[in-house]
Amino acid sequence: MILVTGGAGFIGANFIHAWFKHTDEPVLNLDKLTYAGNLANLAKLNDDPRYLFTRGDINDRDLLGTLLNQHHPRAILHFAAESHVDRSILGPGEFIQTNIVGSFHLLEMTRDYWNRLPDTSQDGANKRDFRFLHVSTDEVYGTLTPEDPPFAETNPHLPNSPYAASKAASDHLARAWHHTYGLPVLITNCSNNYGPYQFPEKLIPLVIHNALAGKPLPIYGDGMQVRDWLYVEDHCLAIMRVLAAGQPGETYNIGGWNEKPNLEVVRTICGVLDAARPRADGRGYAEQMTFVQDRPGHDRRYAINAAKIERELGWRPGESFESGIVKTVGWYLEHADWVADVTSGAYRQWVERQYGGRG
Ligand code: NAD
Ligand code: TYD
């Protein structure tokens, strides 16, 4: 059994699906179901005996203690977070509470649980083989100029947004819990993900959604900010590899060697949509591109040096941006109901009816 936090979110849900493609080992998903957590992402698993779900907050120590003692996970994969930079600028409070304080509570309850595990065992959780894998971002490293080499694991943490600062803080906590208490912690810092089930507030799903809805495609500033894009399934496979073979106490950068300016990403999406679902008036979706005011403190460039995970663990991305973006646009075209659901409020009402007062 593994415990996944934030498994109803974008990467967590993709991770659980990827996990069951490779193993039958059960998963317990602990998720608060914020606006970003959607059980429809895991609907295929509703009757699957390998999958368990609990709605709850990583800040709830009593719940964490109960779950750990009941289910005896052999690993914890910590995805739960507030994850959107623009939201962190508008209201950083939740980012501090979940990403920093929540991670602290989770680390403390994990330490308590880990201390009580047997040193070794033939099967089931034991102290030696237990792992806490902290899922983090390349944004903790700050920003690069066009001339800088990509981020390596040895780069200092120089976060610029409240989101990045909150993730950097939790990276430091995870690291310290290894060095001070010996907790077998692994940290991964990944670049921008894209793919199925991503909430349509991040650039790629937002552009697909707005294009189809006939709305403007907002380009912040000059649109020449660079991100390194990785197809989400590749990220999930990398996490599995780090869990299986990573060295406790180590950090692994994960990236696609796929730097692209935002303008190119948006134009590519428009081109794929022009071919797959042409506009009724025969014009191109790129006409909807609209330059808007830049994000405050906007990081200019992220780029990942993923040589360590390639060299030490043999992981490499399988998907190119060109193939991944076609798959992603195709997924959103086929799942208009999912997008309508997560953007309409109907889903939130269902969550409150189903779980009201228990989250
Ligand atoms: P997401 O916002 O889609 O999902 C986050 C999930 O965490 C949601 O299901 C939400 O309900 C849950 N959650 C939030 N607060 C919680 C709490 N207090 N207790 C329990 N559950 C809570 O995020 P994502 O894009 O899937 O990102 C997952 C992780 O990967 C995050 O830690 C993020 O920092 C990291 N990451 C994301 C990217 C990216 O491009 N999206 C890249 C690198 C790293
Ligand atoms: P985003 O998906 O929010 O990820 P992050 O900020 O974590 O990298 O944004 C990706 C890039 O796209 C970033 O440079 C900001 C830019 N962007 C836009 O130009 N317009 C938009 O509407 C959004 C959401 C992002």
Side-chain angles (χ1 to χ4, degrees):
M1 157 80 68
I2 60 165
L3 169 61
V4 166
T5 70
F10 163 50
I11 304 175
N14 277 287
F15 177 83
I16 294 173
H17 288 303
W19 179 260
F20 287 136
K21 276 193 205 163
H22 290 85
T23 169
D24 287 328
E25 185 176 0
V27 172
L28 169 63
N29 173 16
L30 169 64
D31 197 296
K32 186 179 171 184
L33 299 182
T34 67
Y35 78 96
N38 188 344
L39 288 183
N41 300 354
L42 297 156
K44 282 180 213 151
L45 297 172
N46 276 349
D47 298 318
D48 193 317
R50 300 170 301 176
Y51 172 69
L52 294 171
F53 172 71
T54 297
R55 187 189 189 193
D57 192 324
I58 53 168
N59 286 286
D60 183 344
R61 283 196 182 208
D62 290 344
L63 175 64
L64 291 173
T66 305
L67 292 176
L68 292 171
N69 290 332
Q70 260 175 13
H71 296 284
H72 289 277
R74 65 149 180 113
I76 297 177
L77 287 92
H78 179 32
F79 293 88
E82 288 295 332
S83 68
H84 189 37
V85 173
D86 291 327
R87 283 183 191 251
S88 82
I89 295 168
L90 291 171
E94 282 294 309
F95 288 73
I96 306 304
Q97 191 58 43
T98 285
N99 300 2
I100 306 180
V101 182
S103 295
F104 160 66
H105 289 310
L106 183 63
L107 280 164
E108 274 298 77
M109 293 312 288
T110 304
R111 178 165 75 95
D112 175 66
Y113 165 71
W114 176 72
N115 272 327
R116 288 183 285 105
L117 287 174
D119 284 336
T120 56
S121 70
Q122 288 296 82
D123 50 359
N126 66 76
K127 225 179 187 149
R128 194 195 58 194
D129 299 323
F130 181 84
R131 297 288 182 268
F132 181 97
L133 194 154
H134 176 64
V135 179
S136 191
T137 166
D138 61 357
E139 304 193 23
V140 299
Y141 296 122
T143 188
L144 297 169
T145 66
E147 294 76 35
D148 285 331
F151 301 128
E153 289 82 355
T154 46
N155 274 46
H157 280 39
L158 295 168
N160 290 320
S161 71
Y163 164 66
S166 69
K167 291 298 292 188
S170 57
D171 288 13
H172 289 317
L173 292 178
R175 179 188 154 86
W177 261 240
H178 171 73
H179 281 267
T180 304
Y181 303 115
L183 189 70
V185 168
L186 299 156
I187 300 176
T188 56
N189 293 93
C190 187
S191 59
N192 285 55
N193 283 214
Y194 67 101
Y197 304 116
Q198 188 168 31
F199 194 84
E201 63 180 356
K202 305 269 168 68
L203 179 68
I204 288 181
L206 180 111
V207 164
I208 300 170
H209 177 60
N210 281 14
L212 294 170
K215 291 185 188 163
L217 313 180
I219 311 289
Y220 296 170
D222 65 0
M224 290 309 289
Q225 304 84 0
V226 170
R227 298 292 182 264
D228 172 15
W229 293 97
L230 182 67
Y231 191 64
V232 63
E233 195 174 359
D234 278 326
H235 184 191
C236 296
L237 294 174
I239 288 172
M240 280 189 227
R241 189 71 200 121
V242 172
L243 178 66
Q247 201 52 34
E250 289 294 312
T251 290
Y252 298 90
N253 280 353
I254 304 172
W257 301 104
N258 224 331
E259 288 183 56
K260 303 236 176 265
N262 294 337
L263 273 180
E264 186 184 330
V265 170
V266 175
R267 285 199 184 109
T268 304
I269 296 169
C270 290
V272 176
L273 280 171
D274 286 338
R277 182 73 58 86
R279 265 172 48 158
D281 62 6
R283 293 164 173 240
Y285 286 101
E287 283 198 0
Q288 290 165 234
M289 285 166 60
T290 308
F291 288 89
V292 300
Q293 191 172 10
D294 207 354
R295 172 189 278 175
H298 198 169
D299 284 339
R300 196 70 187 162
R301 173 176 169 238
Y302 302 143
I304 278 274
N305 176 344
K308 178 176 172 181
I309 188 172
E310 291 177 5
R311 190 179 59 244
E312 295 185 9
L313 306 183
W315 172 87
R316 267 196 160 272
E319 202 76 55
S320 70
F321 185 73
E322 289 64 32
S323 61
I325 200 72
V326 169
K327 274 192 189 177
T328 303
V329 171
W331 189 88
Y332 280 90
L333 286 173
E334 282 163 23
H335 292 82
D337 50 341
W338 181 91
V339 177
D341 228 32
V342 298
T343 51
S344 74
Y347 174 72
R348 298 297 337 145
Q349 286 166 14
W350 177 84
V351 168
E352 290 321 316
R353 276 201 307 278
Q354 196 78 0
Y355 295 99
R358 283 195 277 146

